[in-house]
């Protein structure tokens, strides 16, 4: 497993039975994921696990719903999630 694995990804990798219990992924403060979770070198990222959210979805091996929550998400960050999570036909709710 990758040296940059998150505790959740390590747990899912070691305990496949837990994968069956996952019903959805929820990302709060989604507007911060791109900026806090990525850097030229993951070691420099403030929250490097946030930049690897797509790896959790890959480990699940099932298509679970994903809920991204943000009060201030930008179009750039939305595109980042659409592409990195391979979201098809995402639904956007704005208030």
């Amino acid at each position: 497993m990758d040296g940059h694995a998150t505790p959740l990804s390590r747990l899912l990798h070691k305990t496949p039975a837990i994968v069956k219990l996952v019903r959805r992924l929820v990302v709060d403060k989604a507007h911060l994921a791109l900026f806090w979770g990525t850097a030229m070198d993951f070691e420099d990222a403030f929250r490097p696990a946030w930049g690897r959210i797509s790896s959790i979805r890959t480990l699940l091996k099932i298509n679970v719903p994903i809920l991204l929550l943000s009060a201030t998400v930008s179009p750039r960050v939305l595109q980042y999630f659409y592409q990195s999570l391979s979201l098809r036909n995402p639904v956007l709710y704005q208030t």
Side-chain angles (χ1 to χ4, degrees):
M1 191 138 217
D2 173 327
H4 297 292
T6 65
L8 178 57
S9 63
R10 283 192 295 272
L11 178 65
L12 292 174
H13 186 71
K14 290 198 284 191
T15 318
I18 291 179
V19 171
K20 295 176 184 175
L21 301 174
V22 177
R23 298 291 178 242
R24 69 189 50 87
L25 294 178
V26 178
V27 179
D28 192 12
K29 309 277 189 251
H31 58 280
L32 299 174
L34 177 61
F35 304 105
W36 283 9
T38 59
M40 293 303 288
D41 176 358
F42 272 120
E43 300 299 323
D44 295 332
F46 178 62
R47 295 277 190 253
W50 288 26
R52 291 187 296 276
I53 293 169
S54 61
S55 67
I56 300 298
R57 188 173 191 205
T58 302
L59 283 170
L60 292 174
K61 299 177 185 167
I62 56 173
N63 193 15
V64 297
I66 300 173
L67 176 61
L68 304 172
L69 301 169
S70 175
T72 60
V73 71
S74 69
R76 178 178 173 213
V77 174
L78 282 175
Q79 286 305 311
Y80 165 76
F81 277 115
Y82 295 165
Q83 292 172 356
S84 69
L85 296 174
S86 301
L87 298 179
R88 293 181 301 271
N89 304 315
V91 176
L92 178 63
Y93 292 101
Q94 292 180 305
T95 59

